[in-house]
Amino acid sequence: MNAFFERSSDTIAAIATSLGRGGIAIVRVSGDLAGEIAGRVFLPFKPGKTGLRHRVMIYGHALGPDGSTIDEVMAVFFCAPNSYTAQDVLEIHCHGGSEMARQVLSSCMAAGARLAEPGEFTKRAFLNGRIDLSQAEAVMRLISAKSEKAARLSQKQLDGALSREIASLQNDLLDIMAGIEAAADYPEEDIENQAASQTFDRISSLCGALGSLLKSADYAKKLQDGIRICIAGKPNAGKSSLMNALLGENRAIVTDIAGTTRDILTEPLNINGIPATICDTAGLRASSETGSDVIERIGIERARAEIESADIVLLVWDMGEPFSDEDRRILALDKPKILVKNKSDIYPAEGVQSFPEEVASVTISALTLEGIDELKRMIASLFEESDSLGEASLTEERHVESVKNAGKALALALEALESGLPVDVCAIDLRDAWHHLGLITGKTADDELISRIFESFCLGK
Amino acid sequence: MQTKTDIDLNSTNSYEAVVVGAGHAGCEAGLALARLGIKTLVMTLSIDGVAMLACNPSIGGTAKGHLVREIDALGGEMGLAIDDTFLQSRMLNTGKGPAVHSLRTQADKKQYQYRMLRALQHQDNLTLIQGEIADIDIKNGKVQGVKTATGAYYSCRVCIIASGVYLKSRVIIGEYTSYEGPSGLMNANPLSDCLKSLGFELRRFKTGTPARIDIRSVDLSKLEPQSGDSRIVPFSFMNDVLEKEQVCCYLGYTNQRTHDIIRDNLHRAPMFTGIIEGVGPRYCPSIEDKIVRFADKDRHQFFLEPESLFTTEWYVQGMSTSLPEEVQMELYRTLPGLENVNIVRLAYAIEYDCINPTMVKTSLESKDIPGLFFAGQINGSSGYEEAAAQGLIAGINAAMLLKERDPLLLGRADAYIGVLIDDLTTKGTGEPYRMMTSRAEYRLSLRQDNADLRLTEMGRKVGLVSDERYTRLIKKKTELESALAAIDEKHYGPALINPHLESIKEPPVKSGVSARDVLKRPNASYEWLFGIDPSLPDIGPQAQEQVEIAVRYEGYLRRQAAQTQALRRMEDLRLSENVDYDEIGALRIEARQKLSQIRPQTLGQASRISGVSPADITVLMVWLEKKNAFQR
């Protein structure tokens, strides 16, 4: 069933600007509830001002569901039909960076909006006669392209541990359902009839798993600072110098002494328009070399964790030094990375050592800033290629919504069982839950249930 | 052939409709057409094979019982015929929710056949003739008539193919194979080629049946008797009570010896030797299949079921096999009580041709050849009830076509019949398709007890529902409405109601409650409450059941109602058959191909095609809105 049409009269909300870029993020709300939502999510600054007027931008606070202030924002209201969608539209302009906008969006959803489908604002605009066919066709291509991109992104996320867990929960759920369905469709077979209490326990444990999934999945964190770039390498390779060179200021302490940087140093940075966080890490060397310096060892452990979680790794290599095992290990990581060959001021001739050819590399001097612009350009293009955060966040928001909905459906099933309703009736809720999880894993076909029944049970005349 | 045609072209050979086959689909199709005033010819390979129950001697069961109820509610024959001829009746799943309560009967195969034959032969407008249709005459893309293998020509404007498993059917028993129909009947070959030449994509399916044994050679004391319900619920909404002396069935289990024999002879099993090419159903595995796939199960159950009061033949449910004859003999004799059993008819597998059902519309009319309909196993389904349901719909819609009226299209939210037809025509099927309650996503609304409330009005509009049936519906509806209104109005104080609640082991109330709240208690019934408060409407048992379900499952029913409404909105958006999906650039290529191939009739149907994504549906909707291509 296509959710799109079930609820075309709903009030929808989404972040209208692309995430992770630009100084302003706009949360757009369209539908009958837009006015009501404005009243709950936006508080004008000027005392005495009660609300929003058509096409007038007002300064104020965006409020969370509990009334707490999220951000200082500008808000504007468009009364139907004089808006993009020809419905009541609320726009809240937040500070750029994804976290604020996401909080405002969540608050709008708490106030009654649901997350918009890709292209849904435009679809409404079109259906309400605001744009013509050629515009609509252009938008349709976009919807189509976007959804393919979203599908690709989902697929990417499916490789992650979180998605594996969701798939495994969906699998468990399917087992419970298959048991109930097999017993309903084959009452005379000697299937172990799952006792209602056992079904109850299995569902409530699934319910708990979904709950902790929601808590642990702190999607916002990954996004709030944009793309995370980690500078790694051996001690004294010039990591801190590179950080300062990229920041354009002396933020990291630079000395000739190996092991000066002991903790992670993190700074926001804008690389060719892309918001990023750059972090300098302790130089990686074997514990035999660090001697008894506990602090440095802890620093190295943290550095390794940081390298794992970073979106892009810059491996700094002092061209005068041999490649270490750590260097090779980092180059072997399955994530975007750039080999930064440093100290071109000392070693002008390239290729002192051989290195894996497939790794993107650039020769720089952190001291003279030679090659820094080229490095920035490479980081930017890696970001573009990596389909990174900007759009993924939307899908993730959707995933959170799906997990929540699945949890709600399971709670209904438990409630039904508790009130003594037969287990095949609560199968309706389980099916709902399964479909919600399927929106993440892409498995929503009913055929899967039928297949599972026949895989798990020996049935038939 | 042409000359003979010319000679025979007289009024006696001229019909409006021809039904090919008189199995469960053909019988319902022929009766529906004739009852709707259409001059109908039903042609069967053998009049002795009319309404034959070629496999198990039972009608109904989970989901299938729902289908029978729905056939009955629309004015079909199956429910009435089985009520007249059953040997045992049971309501299955009574310990579960009302959605999965399913009526199942043991049928007297012989009586059932004669009961149906009588209906056909006494039906006005209907002619039943024995013969083989070899060719369908299509001119200018329209059905003109049919030709028989012996050379006769019958003109007609619509034709329903209900050929069952008979097209190029092949029986397989071990190494032995023979091109023939079930139970030694002849098969039909030319019609298969004819369909192929008309452009229908043929596929090969397989099914199987166990041996029939002589009950006199069985020691029944070693088996567990299974009797029918003491209170018989009729299949037909036309019957209130049925009284009958019922026969027993018997339950037993396979053992290690059974399994050893099968394992020792697996190399001779057609499913492993490669003799069988067709795709068999997962839900109806042979015993060798069960033992291979569920190797860790140390026993499987089997049932002995009578075939007819007139014969000593019994059916061994659960023991379908295509192993060689001598292995079958050995195998069956390992079963408890069957140590000296005599096999009357061997178990066998049968392969047959059927068409890809995505080539027919939800009306069951061919997408390419107007007037040509398909029903039953030819569409890849399996089961008497599935066949009868399609036969009824094909018959009705062929009549509607002749009368230039809108077809009767049942959706997934209307009936199991709708689920069945939508699954077949939208998704197709990779194996013989059996109805299951798990296939019906709105099954709490599509219960067997409310099939009349859901469908009889539609049957009335079509013209198949008699005055008597319609009057019964109106009475039930009126009773239901009056009771539903009354239970909200009536209130009881604790002093009055608590002693009664106590008597049915329900906790007492502290303040006054409505009759509705009282009925929500799991142990309460309308009849019980009526005993306490005779001022409640005095309604029949069928209406009582409806009230109880409506009250107890209120929340879920309301949710399903909202879901089905959303579905209906999608189904109301009708798509033209002539949409050129290649023209819609924003559709993904896979979606374009699938849509062009299936040519869905509604946006809802389009959304259920595998390979068509929600984004494609959005694109489609936007495009269609603009082109005004919706045929509302």
Side-chain angles (χ1 to χ4, degrees):
Chain A
M1 188 61 206
N2 188 352
F4 223 107
F5 304 100
E6 283 175 49
R7 313 175 288 179
S8 61
S9 58
D10 293 359
T11 297
I12 54 172
I15 299 172
T17 44
S18 62
L19 289 181
R21 297 178 205 198
I24 291 173
I26 301 174
V27 175
R28 182 183 283 155
V29 180
S30 174
D32 294 344
L33 290 179
E36 199 183 314
I37 290 169
R40 288 168 64 178
V41 175
F42 178 73
L43 182 68
F45 242 7
K46 226 179 202 172
K49 272 248 193 282
T50 49
L52 292 157
R53 279 181 296 137
H54 184 54
R55 283 183 180 159
V56 177
M57 200 170 238
I58 294 180
Y59 180 42
H61 275 150
L63 305 178
D66 56 355
S68 62
T69 301
I70 298 172
D71 192 9
E72 286 175 23
V73 298
M74 303 287 285
V76 58
F77 199 82
F78 303 89
C79 296
N82 299 311
S83 73
Y84 178 57
T85 59
Q87 298 179 310
D88 281 349
V89 167
L90 167 71
E91 282 183 7
I92 298 179
H93 298 230
C94 321
H95 286 111
S98 50
E99 180 55 18
M100 294 304 176
R102 287 166 50 85
Q103 284 187 24
V104 173
L105 176 61
S106 293
S107 188
C108 291
M109 283 161 65
R114 73 164 163 84
L115 198 62
E117 304 280 338
E120 196 169 6
F121 288 103
T122 307
K123 195 199 97 182
R124 289 189 177 190
F126 168 73
L127 292 179
N128 292 326
R130 298 289 295 176
I131 55 175
D132 67 16
L133 180 62
S134 60
Q135 287 171 298
E137 279 177 347
V139 171
M140 285 190 293
R141 281 210 181 81
L142 203 64
I143 293 171
S144 182
K146 266 193 174 174
S147 67
E148 287 213 356
K149 199 167 182 187
R152 271 209 314 280
L153 280 169
S154 302
Q155 199 51 51
K156 251 174 91 175
Q157 287 160 353
L158 268 186
D159 297 336
L162 170 75
S163 302
R164 268 201 303 277
E165 186 165 357
I166 291 174
S168 125
L169 291 177
Q170 201 190 9
N171 191 46
D172 292 349
L173 183 55
L174 195 61
D175 272 339
I176 302 175
M177 290 163 68
I180 295 171
E181 298 298 331
D185 269 318
Y186 292 89
E188 293 192 317
E189 298 284 343
D190 46 356
I191 301 167
E192 262 175 71
N193 234 322
Q194 292 171 324
S197 69
Q198 201 195 334
T199 306
F200 187 90
D201 292 344
R202 291 176 75 184
I203 297 171
S204 65
S205 100
L206 267 183
C207 219
L210 286 180
S212 48
L213 197 61
L214 277 175
K215 269 185 211 150
S216 69
D218 188 3
Y219 303 103
K221 188 177 180 309
K222 195 181 166 198
L223 280 168
Q224 63 192 5
D225 303 313
I227 155 178
R228 203 161 175 89
I229 303 168
C230 176
I231 304 177
K234 284 202 295 191
N236 247 359
K239 297 181 293 299
S240 300
S241 303
L242 174 60
M243 173 134 173
N244 289 340
L246 285 169
L247 288 170
E249 57 179 308
N250 282 336
R251 184 63 191 77
I253 302 162
V254 178
T255 70
D256 288 340
I257 306 160
T260 306
T261 306
R262 294 173 165 225
D263 202 354
I264 313 286
L265 189 59
T266 304
E267 284 294 320
L269 171 71
N270 191 309
I271 295 182
N272 298 358
I274 299 164
T277 304
I278 190 153
C279 58
D280 184 15
T281 60
L284 300 168
R285 54 175 166 174
S287 54
S288 57
E289 295 171 60
T290 60
S292 60
D293 192 335
V294 179
I295 297 174
E296 190 187 347
R297 277 220 297 280
I298 293 171
I300 289 173
E301 272 167 38
R302 287 194 186 162
R304 290 201 174 113
E306 188 60 44
I307 291 164
E308 282 295 324
S309 67
D311 297 305
I312 295 177
V313 177
L314 306 181
L315 176 64
V316 184
W317 171 46
D318 178 341
M319 287 191 281
E321 292 284 317
F323 248 73
S324 71
D325 288 347
E326 285 287 355
D327 290 340
R328 275 181 240 287
R329 201 185 62 77
I330 291 168
L331 284 184
L333 285 176
D334 182 22
K335 62 170 63 191
K337 55 202 167 272
I338 299 171
L339 175 63
V340 182
K341 297 182 282 187
N342 192 19
K343 308 197 182 174
S344 66
D345 48 319
I346 306 174
Y347 314 102
E350 197 214 300
V352 183
Q353 293 250 346
S354 65
F355 56 87
E357 280 168 23
E358 65 270 23
V359 175
S361 69
V362 60
T363 306
I364 63 149
S365 165
L367 213 62
T368 66
L369 301 185
E370 184 197 342
I372 292 293
D373 285 344
E374 172 64 7
L375 175 59
K376 285 185 176 175
R377 202 190 50 72
M378 286 174 76
I379 293 172
S381 76
L382 263 187
F383 176 79
E384 305 283 353
E385 280 169 25
S386 72
D387 259 350
S388 196
L389 315 169
E391 291 227 322
S393 69
L394 198 65
T395 357
E396 288 180 353
E397 183 72 65
R398 222 169 280 290
H399 292 179
V400 172
E401 202 190 12
S402 296
V403 171
K404 275 185 189 160
N405 286 337
K408 277 183 206 161
L410 291 184
L412 281 173
L414 292 174
E415 203 180 295
L417 284 176
E418 259 178 337
S419 74
L421 288 179
V423 70
D424 58 281
V425 172
C426 85
I428 294 172
D429 298 314
L430 300 187
R431 201 183 275 254
D432 278 356
W434 193 72
H435 275 277
H436 286 303
L437 292 181
L439 295 177
I440 305 172
T441 61
K443 288 185 177 179
T444 53
D446 289 319
D447 301 345
E448 299 230 1
L449 176 58
I450 307 278
S451 298
R452 181 63 58 94
I453 293 173
F454 291 114
E455 279 160 25
S456 314
F457 301 97
C458 181
L459 301 164
K461 55 192 179 189
Chain B
M1 201 70 87
Q2 194 56 47
T3 51
K4 183 123 187 156
T5 299
D6 294 337
I7 297 161
D8 282 350
L9 202 59
N10 55 44
S11 66
T12 59
N13 277 15
S14 164
Y15 291 89
E16 286 177 282
V18 169
V19 179
V20 182
H24 305 284
C27 286
E28 294 291 349
L31 288 170
L33 279 159
R35 286 168 181 167
L36 291 171
I38 307 296
K39 190 182 174 198
T40 304
L41 169 67
V42 177
M43 195 77 148
T44 171
L45 286 172
S46 165
I47 290 195
D48 298 326
V50 167
M52 188 170 80
L53 299 138
C55 194
N56 57 333
S58 74
I59 285 181
T62 50
K64 290 165 173 276
H66 290 65
L67 288 172
V68 181
R69 278 288 174 96
E70 291 178 351
I71 292 166
D72 184 69
L74 287 166
E77 192 67 16
M78 187 174 240
L80 291 163
I82 186 62
D83 275 354
D84 286 348
T85 57
F86 73 98
L87 296 176
Q88 189 202 77
S89 169
R90 285 178 69 194
M91 186 65 86
L92 305 175
N93 272 335
T94 48
K96 303 192 181 87
V100 295
H101 291 187
S102 297
L103 194 56
R104 211 263 317 273
T105 53
Q106 295 306 134
D108 185 315
K109 285 189 171 183
K110 300 292 173 197
Q111 288 191 55
Y112 186 85
Q113 277 194 273
Y114 281 104
R115 166 65 181 74
M116 200 55 101
L117 182 62
R118 187 181 69 197
L120 260 62
Q121 289 191 329
H122 287 83
Q123 178 63 48
D124 290 345
N125 300 326
L126 193 153
T127 307
L128 178 68
I129 294 181
Q130 179 166 304
E132 178 186 351
I133 304 287
D135 198 11
I136 306 159
D137 183 14
I138 309 281
K139 281 196 190 78
N140 308 321
K142 281 183 184 161
V143 176
Q144 308 290 324
V146 294
K147 290 174 195 162
T148 68
T150 49
Y153 184 97
Y154 299 95
S155 67
C156 62
R157 289 163 61 208
V158 298
C159 177
I160 296 175
I161 309 292
S163 51
V165 297
Y166 290 80
L167 294 191
K168 293 206 170 158
S169 55
R170 185 171 71 139
V171 164
I172 302 140
I173 303 168
E175 293 89 2
Y176 168 87
T177 68
S178 166
Y179 279 90
E180 59 184 53
S183 246
L185 292 166
M186 65 183 279
N187 68 358
N189 296 318
L191 186 58
S192 188
D193 297 327
C194 163
L195 291 176
K196 200 171 176 184
S197 72
L198 290 174
F200 291 95
E201 183 191 328
L202 298 182
R203 46 189 54 185
R204 203 120 174 103
F205 276 0
K206 171 232 141 182
T207 186
T209 195
R212 315 301 195 268
I213 55 165
D214 188 335
I215 197 68
R216 293 172 303 170
S217 60
V218 177
D219 179 0
L220 289 174
S221 68
K222 292 187 177 169
L223 297 165
E224 203 180 300
Q226 304 256 303
S227 45
D229 289 346
S230 51
R231 194 179 73 89
I232 296 169
V233 179
F235 260 122
S236 177
F237 291 100
M238 298 299 285
N239 294 322
D240 288 320
V241 233
L242 293 175
E243 304 261 344
K244 186 172 267 186
E245 185 142 348
Q246 299 183 61
V247 298
C248 250
C249 296
Y250 294 87
L251 164 67
Y253 294 91
T254 60
N255 51 48
Q256 202 51 52
R257 275 181 53 228
T258 325
H259 298 199
D260 288 345
I261 289 170
I262 289 168
R263 286 202 188 95
D264 291 347
N265 288 284
L266 273 183
H267 61 285
R268 300 181 69 191
M271 63 178 274
F272 299 107
T273 57
I275 291 179
I276 291 179
E277 295 154 23
V279 186
R282 285 169 300 177
Y283 51 80
C284 191
S286 59
I287 185 69
E288 53 266 30
D289 212 354
K290 291 186 201 175
I291 279 157
V292 170
R293 285 181 48 218
F294 295 90
D296 53 336
K297 268 194 104 173
D298 52 8
R299 64 174 200 177
H300 295 274
Q301 52 180 11
F302 70 90
F303 292 90
L304 294 188
E305 301 171 350
E307 294 246 311
S308 167
L309 292 180
F310 296 102
T311 70
T312 58
E313 285 184 60
W314 282 52
Y315 178 91
V316 193
Q317 198 219 97
M319 293 293 290
S320 153
T321 179
S322 51
L323 283 163
E325 180 165 5
E326 67 271 22
V327 182
Q328 290 192 22
M329 287 296 188
E330 221 185 325
L331 180 65
Y332 279 93
R333 289 189 170 182
T334 63
L335 302 176
L338 277 71
E339 292 82 1
N340 300 306
V341 77
N342 292 325
I343 291 180
V344 181
R345 298 179 202 230
L346 285 172
Y348 62 87
I350 186 166
E351 276 188 346
Y352 54 95
D353 283 352
C354 52
I355 65 159
N356 176 356
T358 62
M359 301 183 85
V360 301
K361 302 190 227 176
T362 48
S363 63
L364 297 180
E365 187 182 12
S366 156
K367 285 176 179 171
D368 296 308
I369 303 173
L372 187 59
F373 290 75
F374 291 85
Q377 272 166 309
I378 184 75
N379 282 338
S381 69
S382 139
Y384 315 136
E385 305 81 356
E386 287 86 344
Q390 292 172 62
L392 176 65
I393 298 301
I396 289 172
N397 287 333
M400 294 300 105
L401 183 72
L402 291 172
K403 290 166 183 276
E404 294 178 11
R405 285 176 53 189
D406 286 340
L408 174 67
L409 304 176
L410 297 177
R412 304 185 74 87
D414 298 318
Y416 273 72
I417 300 177
V419 175
L420 165 73
I421 293 175
D422 183 65
D423 276 347
L424 287 173
T425 60
T426 307
K427 297 178 193 158
T429 181
E431 64 180 338
Y433 180 101
R434 179 209 202 272
M435 198 68 236
M436 295 167 65
T437 69
S438 351
R439 297 193 197 270
E441 53 274 63
Y442 310 115
R443 71 178 173 203
L444 191 57
S445 315
L446 308 184
R447 302 184 312 274
Q448 51 94 30
D449 59 75
N450 68 1
D452 54 344
L453 295 169
R454 291 185 276 120
L455 300 173
T456 298
E457 199 75 59
M458 294 187 202
R460 178 73 175 177
K461 216 170 128 196
V462 161
L464 267 187
V465 164
S466 65
D467 288 346
E468 192 192 348
R469 185 185 287 276
Y470 193 60
T471 311
R472 289 174 77 97
L473 172 76
I474 298 300
K475 180 168 175 274
K476 183 171 168 183
K477 268 188 167 172
T478 316
E479 286 182 351
L480 177 60
E481 278 157 23
S482 72
L484 284 175
I487 57 169
D488 282 327
E489 283 164 16
K490 303 277 178 189
H491 285 77
Y492 311 111
L496 172 80
I497 203 72
N498 280 345
H500 296 289
L501 286 174
E502 202 180 316
S503 72
I504 57 165
K505 298 189 178 64
E506 287 286 349
V509 294
K510 290 196 181 78
S511 54
V513 283
S514 68
R516 178 184 284 272
D517 288 334
V518 174
L519 281 176
K520 275 185 185 156
R521 302 296 184 91
N523 296 332
S525 70
Y526 191 90
E527 200 179 4
W528 164 82
L529 190 60
F530 181 69
I532 298 164
D533 178 6
S535 74
L536 283 169
D538 184 4
I539 60 175
Q542 286 192 16
Q544 287 180 19
E545 186 183 16
Q546 294 306 310
V547 175
E548 288 161 6
I549 293 169
V551 168
R552 211 155 290 160
Y553 300 97
E554 193 184 359
Y556 279 93
L557 286 169
R558 208 183 306 122
R559 265 169 60 201
Q560 284 221 325
Q563 286 172 354
T564 54
Q565 230 175 354
L567 177 78
R568 287 207 175 91
R569 276 202 297 278
M570 290 276 282
E571 301 297 340
D572 283 346
L573 298 174
R574 303 195 59 76
L575 293 172
S576 156
E577 282 176 36
N578 310 318
V579 177
D580 180 1
Y581 294 99
D582 284 330
E583 211 184 282
I584 309 174
L587 284 174
R588 290 170 318 116
I589 290 170
E590 188 193 1
R592 259 184 260 173
Q593 288 169 344
K594 285 286 176 64
L595 288 163
S596 308
Q597 187 198 328
I598 307 278
R599 279 175 281 159
Q601 291 158 263
T602 69
L603 206 61
Q605 198 187 3
S607 73
R608 289 188 294 276
I609 297 172
S610 77
V612 176
S613 72
D616 294 320
I617 294 297
T618 310
V619 167
L620 199 55
M621 189 194 178
V622 171
W623 186 85
L624 286 166
E625 278 281 346
K626 198 65 194 179
K627 294 274 177 183
N628 288 323
F630 285 127
Q631 303 175 334
R632 287 183 201 268

